[in-house]
């Protein structure tokens, strides 16, 4: 299918809206949020949007109605509506890998269908979901037993990158809903310490390994899977045990069979699911085992709610579109290098790490879809920590440092673990931080407090630091799904404006290839001939000497 309509749009700086925004920025950069709020008393009620159960207050951004209008125009000129429609139709919008991008099909209800290359992908998705559900029920109920007849009580997901970060984030986020009788571990690093610590207290007779790998060739995952097989067989002593203690999630049936896992115990997905967009495919098997099939379906429904909102809501009320456009505004006009994402919800402690891959692997790109070098900044650096911990650490730099750091603050109206007044205390910090960042404290205010004159400049807080506040009712599978899809589509929106391929990841390839070449040089008994640069050669020699010593 052709994507020429989307690859031939003018370079970003040539688009009229971009030029208008550049001029407009010169006015806005000198405006303070204090003035913008003083001029418009309804600003805090007007610059908000709601969708899929999430509420976004974007009023504390350095924007006016004119900014929003011009950003919307930029989205139009960048072909956002066409590109969104193309994704939902299953066109091959991942041009450098010539693939469709259909994570949105993973959460379509069974009653819908989406025909791509003559195949109803929604029907295929639901076939796998049903197999996953049946398997999960058997394991959770104890009907599926290990080789010695004991029920499974520990599940270890072996995977890395997209086959790890989503599952571990979802498990932590939904731990409240998980089966507390079972233990869940996530093994990703090829560092043997990760393996040893993940398995040291587990009983092989009651442990199930899920080998999660789209390609089933990833060095880290396959190395850990082989060590897991040795670990299990050392205790169970019979090759036949593999069938009871290992299942695979992959698109590569041949490699799964080669490893010794029966394809009966394999849950498939498809080329059109990118690794970092796969936690709601069979890669989410560990999530389903933890929370059960019903709740997994609620998670999918939350994703779908946001997909529908993204597809249907007008841009000025569309959460992912607004957040994506604001991200572009700060990256490219204000020169912001990073975005902080601070969930005021302890269960979301792995959410920033998950988002780092989603945002940075997707939009860390240097050429346009048709291969021209970009002459503007693309994806920002994403980072974050749960509130309130971050406040007692790095927030100082956000408040009074010299860099502009837009921040997303995420909070929930109800806690899952009510305890005295903890939750109001937690949430008061969300609102207080957004307020302090926006309005700061002026010199006059500091003086009024009777501050010693020499200390006044130290205590002044400039303010004018932008935030988005995202609120939801309670952390549930459904609200989690909506929150993740919000960021997925915000990333997509940014990628469309920048006209880059948000769905490939060629940048991770070179390091992998070079490591393959160095492995034998580290393992060789005899002194290998080295032909790297002088630094790499010397490091390899030093390592060889040090490990012998
Ligand atoms: C994600 C990337 C990458 C991938 C891992 C694991 O978008 O493609 O993080 O998920 O490299 O790959 P496998 O699932 O093939 O082992």
């Amino acid at each position: 299918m052709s994507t020429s309509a989307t690859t031939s749009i003018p370079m970003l700086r040539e688009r009229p809206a971009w030029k208008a925004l550049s001029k407009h920025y010169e006015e806005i950069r000198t405006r303070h949020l204090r003035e913008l709020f003083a001029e418009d008393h309804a600003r805090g009620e007007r610059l908000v949007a709601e969708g899929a159960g999430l509420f976004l207050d974007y009023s504390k951004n350095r924007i006016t109605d004119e900014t929003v209008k011009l950003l919307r125009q930029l989205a139009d000129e960048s072909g956002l509506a066409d590109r969104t429609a193309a994704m939902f139709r299953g066109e091959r919008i991942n041009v450098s890998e010539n693939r469709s991008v259909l994570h949105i099909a993973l959460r379509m209800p069974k009653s819908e269908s989406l025909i791509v290359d003559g195949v109803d992908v929604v029907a295929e998705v639901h076939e796998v979901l049903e197999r996953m559900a049946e398997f999960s029920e058997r394991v959770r109920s104890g009907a599926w037993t290990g080789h010695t007849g004991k029920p499974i009580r520990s599940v270890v997901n072996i995977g890395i990158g997209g086959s790890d970060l989503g599952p571990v984030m979802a498990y932590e986020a939904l731990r409240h809903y998980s089966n507390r009788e079972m233990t869940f571990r996530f093994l990703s690093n090829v560092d043997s310490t990760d393996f040893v610590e993940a398995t040291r207290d587990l009983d092989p007779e009651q442990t199930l390994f899920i080998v999660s790998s789209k390609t089933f060739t990833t060095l880290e995952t396959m190395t850990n899977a082989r060590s897991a097989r040795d670990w299990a067989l050392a205790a169970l002593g019979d090759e036949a045990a593999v069938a009871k203690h290992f299942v695979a999630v992959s698109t590569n049936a041949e490699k799964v069979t080669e490893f010794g896992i029966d394809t009966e115990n394999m849950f498939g997905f498809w080329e059109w699911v990118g690794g970092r967009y796969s936690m709601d495919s069979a890669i989410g098997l560990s999530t389903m085992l933890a929370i059960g099939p019903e709740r997994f379906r609620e998670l999918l429904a939350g994703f779908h709610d946001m997909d529908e909102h993204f597809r249907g809501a007008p841009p000025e009320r569309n959460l992912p579109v607004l957040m994506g456009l604001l991200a572009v505004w700060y990256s490219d006009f204000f020169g912001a290098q990073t975005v902080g994402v601070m969930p005021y919800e302890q269960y979301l402690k792995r959410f920033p790490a998950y988002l780092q891959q989603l945002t940075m692997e997707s939009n860390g790109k240097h050429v346009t879809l048709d291969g021209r070098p970009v002459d503007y900044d693309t994806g920002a650096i994403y980072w974050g920590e749960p509130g309130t911990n971050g406040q007692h650490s790095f927030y100082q730099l956000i408040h009074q440092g010299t860099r502009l750091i837009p921040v997303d603050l995420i909070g929930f109206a109800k806690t899952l673990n009510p305890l005295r007044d903890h939750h109001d205390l937690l949430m008061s910090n969300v609102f207080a931080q957004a307020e302090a960042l926006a309005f700061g404290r002026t010199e006059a205010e500091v003086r009024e407090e009777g501050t010693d004159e020499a200390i006044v400049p130290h205590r002044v807080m400039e303010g004018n630091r932008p935030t988005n506040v995202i609120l939801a009712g309670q952390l549930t599978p459904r609200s989690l799904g909506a929150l993740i899809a919000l960021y997925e589509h915000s990333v997509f929106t940014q990628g469309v404006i920048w006209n880059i391929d948000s769905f490939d990841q060629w940048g991770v390839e070179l390091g992998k290839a070079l490591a393959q070449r160095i492995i034998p040089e580290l393992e060789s008994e005899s002194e290998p001939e080295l032909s790297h640069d002088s630094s790499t050669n010397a490091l390899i020699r030093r390592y060889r000497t040090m490990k012998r010593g």
Side-chain angles (χ1 to χ4, degrees), residues 160-163 213-215 218 221 274-276 357 361 505 512:
I160 195 163
S163 301
S213 175
K214 181 171 170 179
T215 54
T218 304
T221 302
R276 55 195 175 275
Q357 183 190 27
E361 204 166 62
Q505 57 282 314
K512 280 193 195 173

